Amino acid sequence: MTDDASTRSAAGGAAPAVTVTDVARRLEAILLIVEEPQSLVSLAAAVGAPVPAVRQAIETLVDDYDGRAGGPVRGFELREVGGGWRLYVREEFDDLVSEYVGGQAPSRLSQAALETLAVIAYKQPVTRSQVASIRAVNVDSVVRTLLARGLITELFADAETGAINYGTTDALLVHLGINSLDELPHISPLLDGADEVGDSRNEGVRR
């Protein structure tokens, strides 16, 4: 990374020099914890730096992780998805990570995981925030668990918000012993918030 570039405050007043390296380090801290791709504007607000400085720092991080800055290619990458940026495991290590996480996962899903999985199954494609709204609780860790177990997958990122839309996988069908999502029972007797979800199967569940 280079640190010869500096930025000034967005208000136009003089400020202590902030190098590209400083901004990149702040970005790394934020990118390690975000669940959805973040726009340059959002990242700039998060790290307290102008958008041009954030854009330059992003480019520096991408070059670093991809091995173009003289170092090794990392096992992860900084990727732009749906107009936002997020850290991802490199595709070549997907199976390795899935096997590791799967081996660490408990044999049974919690009640919270089962309820979240039900919402996703009936409502898909659905974003994390939509699931959280239906369940009235934070579902970040539960969604990570379901992804690790291979029961749900990221379908696509919303073009406007960058929010990831989730859906179920064939592994869920295998676990349930059914051939199609059309065989799922009616949700109203089973899940709180069913009025919001509705009978999505009648609208055509997409996977």
Side-chain angles (χ1 to χ4, degrees):
M1 299 182 189
T2 62
D3 59 6
D4 56 343
S6 62
T7 63
R8 292 186 178 274
S9 66
V18 178
T19 67
V20 172
T21 299
D22 291 333
V23 177
R25 292 176 62 197
R26 295 178 187 178
L27 286 173
E28 285 181 313
I30 296 298
L31 290 167
L32 279 172
I33 63 170
V34 298
E35 300 290 344
E36 306 286 354
Q38 302 295 305
S39 69
L40 288 176
V41 173
S42 295
L43 290 172
V47 302
V51 170
V54 170
R55 182 182 294 107
Q56 185 177 359
I58 286 285
E59 293 172 355
T60 299
L61 288 174
V62 169
D63 287 344
D64 183 19
Y65 300 157
D66 290 350
R68 293 194 291 268
V73 176
R74 307 294 183 86
F76 56 89
E77 62 182 327
L78 183 52
R79 190 189 312 163
E80 185 177 18
V81 176
W85 292 88
R86 180 185 170 198
L87 292 172
Y88 291 87
V89 172
R90 289 196 185 275
E91 186 176 358
E92 62 191 283
F93 298 119
D94 280 349
D95 292 341
L96 174 67
V97 173
S98 296
E99 289 176 8
Y100 172 77
V101 175
Q104 305 298 309
S107 58
R108 289 179 176 273
L109 290 175
S110 66
Q111 183 65 30
L114 289 172
E115 292 177 1
T116 299
L117 181 58
V119 173
I120 295 173
Y122 282 91
K123 189 67 174 175
Q124 63 185 303
V126 61
T127 65
R128 191 190 310 264
S129 62
Q130 289 171 334
V131 176
S133 176
I134 292 172
R135 293 204 55 231
V137 295
N138 186 290
V139 298
D140 290 352
S141 62
V142 176
V143 168
R144 285 195 294 269
T145 296
L146 296 175
L147 283 168
R149 297 291 290 271
L151 298 175
I152 65 172
T153 187
E154 297 180 357
L155 297 178
F156 59 89
D158 185 275
E160 295 184 0
T161 66
I164 299 296
N165 280 259
Y166 298 91
T168 55
T169 65
D170 289 339
L172 176 63
L173 302 181
V174 173
H175 283 292
L176 295 178
I178 61 178
N179 294 314
S180 167
L181 292 172
D182 292 333
E183 297 179 40
L184 288 173
H186 290 284
I187 195 172
S188 52
L190 305 176
L191 184 67
D192 291 338
D195 290 341
E196 297 181 55
V197 178
D199 189 356
S200 298
R201 291 178 297 122
N202 292 334
E203 300 175 2
V205 176
R206 291 174 289 172
R207 300 178 50 254

